[in-house]
Amino acid sequence: MYKILEKRVLSSDIKWFNIYAPQVAKKAKAGQFVVLRIHEKGERIPLTIADYDREKGTILIVFQEIGKTTKLLGTLEEGDEILDFVGPLGIPFKLEENVENVVLIGGGVGIPAIYPKAKELYKEGKKRIISIVGARNKDLLIMREEMETSSHELLIATDDGSEGTKGFVTTVLQNLIDEGRDLDVVIAVGPTIMMKMVAKTTRPYNIPTLVSLNPIMVDGTGMCGSCRVTVGGQVKFACVDGPIFDGHEVDFDELMRRNKMYVDKERVSLELWEKEVQR
Amino acid sequence: MKKIPRQHMPEQDPKERIHNFEEVALGFTAELAQLEAERCLNCPRPFCVEGCPVNIKIPNFIQLIKAGKFKEAVMKIKEDNFLPAICGRVCPQESQCEAKCVVGIKGEPVAIGRLERFVADWEYEHGVEVPELPPPNGHRVAIVGSGPAGISCSVDLAKMGYEVTIFEALHEPGGVLTYGIPPFRLPRKVLKNELEFVQKLGVKIVTDAVVGYLYTIDDLFKEGYEAVFIAVGAGTPRFMGIEGENLIGVYSASEFLTRINLMHAHEFPEYDTPIQLGKRVIVVGGGNVAMDAARTALRIGAGEVVVVYRRSRKEMPARLEEIGHAEEEGVKFEFLVNPVRFIGDENGWLRGVELIKMELGEPDESGRRRPVPIEGSNFIMDIDNAIIAIGQASQPIVAQTTPGLELNKRGYVIADEETGQTTREGVFAGGDIVTGAATVISAMGAGRKAAKAIHEYITKKN
């Protein structure tokens, strides 16, 4: 059992949990994820490691409440325990050493996913870390302070213009490109459509672009193939071959289709749960 | 003397059983078991023992059954095999012990597997005796993977006084016995009993522990384990590499079976894990996993399940009993056909499959005749699901994170056949991660050999 030590409500549907899992915390690196299961009848879901504290033995997860499992997870409080918490999984994030000017792009709960990367790169003394974060509106912008302290520049995009540039993260990215800024690599984590658009934006300029994929998983250790994605025409398992891939090679449309595989079932499950909760 | 025929084991009616996950074979009664035991000739040189990968003293335990000494019979088996309730069910006896049975030369062999299963079940009904253990010898061994190889290794080491910890990646122990083999072949109660027995011997099982990521092999040595046994199996599903394999509705057999056996997707929405199953399902492959997947699909509501296999019936690697059970339950078979591409709709859902007819050519390395496509014989079948059961590859995580551990060119760990010794000192390996996908009993055999070798290694070192 893995205890929730701290809980924060970042927005109406985004929750922040610091979970006690000392051995996972000892090993975790930026770019990796955990698979958790809340209770005996629960499903196994992957969540990106948003931060880790080796001394305190904690792993930070930040998640958006979308389906039954994430909504149920959101109802847990400090002191509650999660049944299974497996990790750290996946290949850690790694950059070429000579890369100095890094753009990190996070959308929605992709922001906490890019945070540990920003933190590590900032600490390593990279010349310039530019972070671009996007959300539908100002209220949904999360972890702003953390991002600010681990970037040289923090740029914001909101759909409604309530903060920063009105538009998408790609609008801001395109501006940087147009200004002729030095951009050695772009790292994007967020909704699949966002990552697809980022890769599309950088492709004409040959700017290396890394994305962290979020397919449906079961075991998360390479045993089932649920998370298979097409990268450069090859089938890869995102759990053990990724989750980070070359954004210019990923078949995002296939991933988006596959991620909708269980929408009907997810709706049934959620409706049933909501009825139970009301009762 | 009147010749006694091989006794039939009562089974659940196929019409009933396709609606449940209860065990198909119901087991011998004491009377049937004793009658069957009468058939054993108690040969002075028992070939059956040679046919058994762990050399169970077969005639001896059968004679004890004949005498009604069931307790003594099961203890006799347990001198060589600690998990008879499992082996009695899932071993391919027809190609091992029973294949060598002298009675089988002129008639049907003695039903050794059924007898093994009978006494094992009898013991659970009457209370399992935990053997007296020697005092702890102060040495610790880590085992990676709680499948058949890991379990059997742990039992032998625990009996020698070792402090054994098994690290399991999933949330439940048992490996392929848990996520792979369906409950209608291996009831979960039987598995639970056997795993409880292992833990009663003092073996610690740590779940949710992915060795390679959570602890490397080197970490385990640093934590004070003196030897490590790698028994992670061959869990990576193989795909065919044909067009449309990522369409929605195409599952690997591993995923399909894991969703059902481990995650209870057939009990959705009571359980949270879903599965997308349509009316018409094909299963690609001819092994036991293909039979398990096909029979599972029928049970959870597929209207029609067709096994497509690229060779003919004769070359099918599945056990005859499993093929028979599948047929009785209504699984259909299409032989000498192979998928060439999957066809989807605009939303990425599987709608059909294009198959090509095959003929058998010259024998290949496996000794079976090689299937050759017949040009121009392509045809299309409308389907909702395809389950790919064409085999598994090695589990790569441990090897990737263990410097000095050498693999062969197929990605399996190089280990001595007799001892399990790998290219790293103190690191042993056995089961499917060494041999490639094989049987439960051969993995158990490898686990036992490794236990012996680990004991010798630690004794010599200290």
Side-chain angles (χ1 to χ4, degrees):
Chain A
M1 299 289 265
Y2 302 83
K3 193 181 258 183
I4 300 164
L5 296 185
E6 270 182 284
K7 173 184 179 175
R8 288 184 204 163
V9 177
L10 300 189
S11 77
S12 58
D13 62 353
I14 299 179
K15 304 278 158 72
W16 180 108
F17 282 2
N18 229 346
I19 293 169
Y20 187 65
Q23 186 59 32
V24 184
K26 213 161 135 184
K27 289 290 181 170
K29 291 197 178 109
Q32 291 187 297
F33 62 97
V34 293
V35 164
L36 63 79
R37 189 175 72 129
I38 306 170
H39 59 90
E40 283 296 344
K41 294 181 177 177
E43 62 181 337
R44 295 168 65 103
I45 59 160
L47 289 171
T48 303
I49 294 173
D51 203 0
Y52 48 82
D53 187 323
R54 304 208 199 284
E55 270 157 40
K56 290 190 186 131
T58 55
I59 293 283
L60 178 68
I61 55 167
V62 181
F63 58 93
Q64 186 165 16
E65 297 171 356
I66 299 168
K68 176 192 169 180
T69 300
T70 44
K71 280 187 196 280
L72 178 63
L73 189 62
T75 65
L76 299 184
E77 298 297 339
E78 287 176 5
D80 287 343
E81 290 181 318
I82 293 168
L83 183 57
D84 297 291
F85 195 78
V86 189
L89 300 170
I91 299 172
F93 160 76
K94 201 168 174 279
L95 274 190
E96 307 276 332
E97 283 193 6
N98 55 4
V99 164
E100 287 297 334
N101 302 291
V102 183
V103 180
L104 290 154
I105 303 179
V109 277
I111 302 171
I114 58 163
Y115 167 61
K117 301 181 183 73
K119 193 170 83 166
E120 276 183 14
L121 293 170
Y122 195 80
K123 239 193 254 167
E124 276 173 32
K126 292 288 179 200
K127 203 156 116 201
R128 191 133 201 106
I129 309 284
I130 306 172
S131 295
I132 307 174
V133 299
R136 284 200 308 278
N137 60 56
K138 194 176 154 189
D139 298 332
L140 297 174
L141 280 171
I142 54 172
M143 295 182 81
R144 191 167 160 174
E145 267 171 47
E146 288 92 334
M147 288 308 299
E148 230 150 31
T149 56
S150 26
S151 320
H152 298 96
E153 239 176 290
L154 176 67
L155 305 170
I156 293 168
T158 50
D159 296 8
D160 63 355
S162 53
E163 178 88 42
T165 305
K166 183 173 189 304
F168 303 117
V169 288
T170 42
T171 320
V172 179
L173 176 63
Q174 187 66 53
N175 289 344
L176 291 178
I177 294 170
D178 293 344
E179 284 164 22
R181 301 277 293 264
D182 280 335
L183 311 175
D184 297 335
V185 66
V186 172
I187 302 154
V189 188
T192 312
I193 181 72
M194 182 207 90
M195 295 190 282
K196 179 187 166 175
M197 296 318 286
V198 168
K200 200 177 160 195
T201 306
T202 57
R203 188 176 288 119
Y205 308 96
N206 283 324
I207 304 167
T209 300
L210 297 174
V211 293
S212 178
L213 304 185
N214 54 351
I216 298 167
M217 294 186 185
V218 184
D219 62 285
T221 64
M223 270 178 38
C224 79
S226 167
C227 66
R228 57 197 194 274
V229 288
T230 304
V231 182
Q234 304 258 323
V235 176
K236 300 278 179 193
F237 288 2
C239 64
V240 287
D241 300 325
I244 298 163
F245 292 101
D246 178 350
H248 294 153
E249 297 285 340
V250 171
D251 184 343
F252 289 105
D253 294 336
E254 179 187 86
L255 176 60
M256 283 188 276
R257 285 193 298 267
R258 284 184 65 82
N259 276 351
K260 284 189 205 139
M261 194 182 308
Y262 297 108
V263 276
D264 58 332
K265 300 280 196 294
E266 283 157 6
R267 199 178 311 120
V268 169
S269 190
L270 181 60
E271 280 167 9
L272 204 71
W273 178 74
E274 280 172 342
K275 253 183 239 160
E276 260 169 50
V277 174
Q278 279 163 13
R279 215 184 295 142
Chain B
M1 195 177 94
K2 192 173 153 257
K3 206 170 151 198
I4 304 165
R6 179 174 162 115
Q7 296 301 301
H8 182 72
M9 181 161 56
E11 288 176 351
Q12 255 201 91
D13 187 311
K15 285 194 220 68
E16 295 279 323
R17 73 188 192 227
I18 60 162
H19 302 296
N20 67 52
F21 274 83
E22 304 297 316
E23 192 171 20
V24 168
L26 300 172
F28 277 157
T29 58
E31 295 71 34
L32 283 175
Q34 284 183 282
L35 198 57
E36 182 64 29
E38 295 263 357
R39 299 180 65 230
C40 175
L41 302 176
N42 198 11
C43 305
R45 189 182 158 200
F47 292 108
C48 53
V49 178
E50 291 169 24
C52 172
V54 297
N55 308 117
I56 294 174
K57 300 174 196 81
I58 294 167
N60 310 50
F61 95 73
I62 294 183
Q63 293 311 306
L64 288 163
I65 293 179
K66 196 168 133 187
K69 293 179 178 167
F70 302 143
K71 176 94 209 161
E72 288 80 356
V74 75
M75 293 324 284
K76 184 56 74 184
I77 297 176
K78 285 193 167 181
E79 287 174 15
D80 302 292
N81 171 16
F82 256 88
L83 306 162
I86 294 173
C87 294
R89 287 175 164 84
V90 304
C91 261
Q93 290 101 9
E94 67 279 5
S95 58
Q96 298 178 346
C97 52
E98 294 180 17
K100 303 273 177 114
C101 175
V102 171
V103 181
I105 297 171
K106 278 194 180 162
E108 284 195 276
V110 175
I112 300 167
R114 294 173 185 177
L115 290 172
E116 178 183 29
R117 171 194 159 139
F118 164 74
V119 280
D121 288 354
W122 183 92
E123 188 192 23
Y124 275 112
E125 272 164 38
H126 293 81
V128 176
E129 199 177 298
V130 179
E132 215 168 295
L133 296 170
N137 66 13
H139 300 292
R140 296 166 71 204
V141 177
I143 294 178
V144 188
S146 65
I151 295 172
S152 74
C153 185
S154 78
V155 167
D156 277 11
L157 288 169
K159 277 170 61 195
M160 291 187 266
Y162 286 91
E163 186 187 325
V164 183
T165 306
I166 304 183
F167 296 89
E168 167 55 47
L170 290 173
H171 57 258
E172 270 179 40
V176 71
L177 305 171
T178 296
Y179 71 78
I181 299 180
F184 53 83
R185 278 218 288 141
L186 180 63
R188 289 309 176 255
K189 178 79 186 125
V190 172
L191 184 56
K192 200 170 152 258
N193 285 340
E194 302 275 48
L195 287 165
E196 269 171 19
F197 172 79
V198 170
Q199 289 172 82
K200 275 186 196 152
L201 295 177
V203 174
K204 213 169 107 194
I205 303 180
V206 183
T207 52
D208 292 343
V210 186
V211 170
Y213 292 141
L214 192 65
Y215 305 90
T216 60
I217 300 287
D218 291 295
D219 292 335
L220 296 175
F221 283 119
K222 269 181 229 145
E223 299 227 340
Y225 294 99
E226 290 176 59
V228 179
F229 179 53
I230 300 172
V232 293
T236 307
R238 284 218 175 96
F239 288 92
M240 286 179 289
I242 61 173
E243 186 188 325
E245 226 166 354
N246 288 357
L247 289 166
I248 299 167
V250 181
Y251 284 106
S252 73
S254 307
E255 179 179 359
F256 182 75
L257 291 170
T258 300
R259 281 185 182 268
I260 304 297
N261 295 335
L262 181 71
M263 304 309 298
H264 298 259
H266 56 299
E267 295 175 67
F268 177 90
E270 191 194 337
Y271 283 76
D272 293 336
T273 303
I275 195 146
Q276 289 294 9
L277 188 86
K279 286 281 149 248
R280 199 160 190 224
V281 179
I282 62 162
V283 177
V284 184
N288 287 320
V289 176
M291 298 305 109
D292 286 346
R295 298 170 67 194
T296 299
L298 268 189
R299 279 168 173 74
I300 64 170
E304 188 182 4
V305 180
V306 184
V307 170
V308 299
Y309 181 51
R310 61 196 181 128
R311 303 183 208 241
S312 74
R313 175 183 289 265
K314 218 171 63 197
E315 287 83 18
M316 277 179 91
R319 295 185 62 193
L320 284 176
E321 187 181 310
E322 303 307 327
I323 301 170
H325 281 154
E327 279 183 322
E328 284 168 20
E329 290 166 10
V331 172
K332 293 175 186 160
F333 291 84
E334 288 273 357
F335 295 105
L336 292 164
V337 287
N338 206 28
V340 289
R341 72 178 172 113
F342 292 108
I343 302 159
D345 65 16
E346 64 286 359
N347 297 317
W349 286 70
L350 179 69
R351 291 290 172 247
V353 58
E354 183 179 327
L355 299 134
I356 191 163
K357 291 186 181 162
M358 312 288 279
E359 59 191 354
L360 293 178
E362 294 299 308
D364 62 12
E365 320 82 70
S366 74
R368 294 174 301 174
R369 292 176 64 195
R370 188 192 301 275
V372 186
I374 303 171
E375 223 173 291
S377 66
N378 303 41
F379 64 103
I380 286 173
M381 218 166 133
D382 291 339
I383 54 168
D384 301 303
N385 288 92
I387 302 170
I388 314 294
I390 56 165
Q392 290 89 240
S394 65
Q395 204 275 23
I397 298 172
V398 174
Q400 279 167 3
T401 54
T402 311
L405 187 75
E406 284 177 31
L407 309 180
N408 66 21
K409 59 178 189 292
R410 289 160 60 227
Y412 295 103
V413 174
I414 296 173
D416 185 278
E417 213 175 290
E418 278 311 302
T419 63
Q421 174 67 53
T422 67
T423 51
R424 269 283 300 265
E425 195 200 321
V427 180
F428 298 77
D432 286 0
I433 189 58
V434 172
T435 57
T439 59
V440 170
I441 190 69
S442 60
M444 286 186 174
R448 303 205 66 204
K449 283 178 181 171
K452 194 167 155 260
I454 288 168
H455 174 59
E456 279 163 16
Y457 166 76
I458 291 179
T459 311
K460 204 182 284 172
K461 213 181 65 172
N462 288 279

